[in-house]
Amino acid sequence: MTEHESGFVPYRFERLEEGEMGRRGGEFLARMEARRSVRFFSDERVPRELIELAIRAAGTAPSGAHMQPWTFVAVADPELKRRIRVAAEEEEYRSYEGGRMKEEWREDLRPLGTDWRKPFLETVPWLVVVFAQKRGRRPDGSPKKHYYVQESVGIACGLFIAALQSMGLATLTHTPSPMRFLRELLDRPTDEEPFILFPVGYPAPDCRVPDLHRKSLAEIAEFRLAED
Ligand code: IYR
């Protein structure tokens, strides 16, 4: 049996010269270094085509047994955004003001300056809600196993964020907790769980972000080389 007959095709891999590899790596790092989570968005419109590009980039993520267990719901409808904001703020109010969030957690969030109010959910041109498919469905409706769903969808979300950043768009990994209301508002099946809500747009002109610092390479990595 040839490779093609067995379901394999040649991998068209572009081998780069090391200098070029370093240049590309450095450029990508600089773009990613400039990324910040944004909570103050402009209402300026963003073309649907740009959102489609970012979702397609996210959809290139590796996944357990290639099940691609993700659904991206992109919302631009102002009425639906309003309903999402109302429901998210209800949950967040209970978390922040109703004692659902313990003191240590509130303390850890203090530098971010967050509270239960989420006006950006209405201001921003797009809300992209990522759902994790806990199981799939065969054409006859019977359940199909999905593997490493959290890891797969997490990687897809990372690629989504990187794609947005590389295109010059801003976002926030927003997880209004609990997020069940998103499944209902967006009519998704019970096989799917809301994973992350991404507001996507441009930062407001007066947008400010917390003065955070990233860990250094030495703090996040260890290299084990041959001892000779
Ligand atoms: N979901 C809340 C709380 C929150 C939790 C974490 I962990 C953060 O890094 C930021 C916020 C909110 O969005 O305000």
Side-chain angles (χ1 to χ4, degrees), residues 37-209:
S37 289
V38 159
R39 292 184 172 82
F40 302 95
F41 288 90
S42 144
D43 62 3
E44 190 179 341
R45 90 172 259 289
V46 168
R48 170 183 170 150
E49 290 69 29
L50 297 181
I51 304 299
E52 290 180 352
L53 285 171
I55 295 174
R56 286 171 64 191
T60 68
S63 61
H66 194 51
M67 292 293 158
Q68 307 171 82
W70 41 67
T71 306
F72 293 78
V73 182
V75 178
D77 172 11
E79 175 53 22
L80 196 45
K81 283 193 290 178
R82 192 189 63 76
R83 287 161 65 190
I84 290 172
R85 175 189 178 178
V86 168
E89 286 187 333
E90 263 170 32
E91 294 295 355
E92 296 286 53
Y93 188 83
R94 268 185 231 134
S95 299
Y96 279 92
E97 307 295 332
R100 211 157 54 176
M101 213 185 254
K102 295 289 164 260
E103 183 49 32
E104 182 183 0
W105 195 354
R106 290 159 60 101
E107 189 63 35
D108 287 340
L109 292 182
R110 210 146 286 149
L112 305 184
T114 56
D115 62 23
W116 62 271
R117 294 178 192 84
K118 306 297 171 192
F120 57 80
L121 292 174
E122 267 188 282
T123 323
V124 80
W126 291 97
L127 297 177
V128 178
V129 184
V130 184
F131 287 86
Q133 302 170 356
K134 297 289 148 185
R135 64 191 78 74
R137 291 283 156 185
R138 294 195 174 84
D140 69 359
S142 62
K144 175 82 198 75
K145 186 150 175 48
H146 281 174
Y147 309 88
Y148 298 100
V149 172
Q150 300 294 106
E151 292 83 349
S152 305
V153 181
I155 295 167
C157 287
L159 291 180
F160 183 65
I161 293 168
L164 293 172
Q165 174 66 13
S166 75
M167 285 193 285
L169 286 165
T171 191
L172 168 71
T173 44
H174 186 39
T175 51
S177 171
M179 289 201 283
R180 281 183 297 275
F181 68 89
L182 289 168
R183 184 162 62 202
E184 282 133 43
L185 284 178
L186 299 173
D187 297 321
R188 298 308 307 168
T190 51
D191 291 341
E192 298 186 2
E193 275 178 10
F195 193 75
I196 293 177
L197 192 176
F198 292 103
V200 181
Y202 300 102
D206 57 351
C207 175
R208 290 164 72 86
V209 295

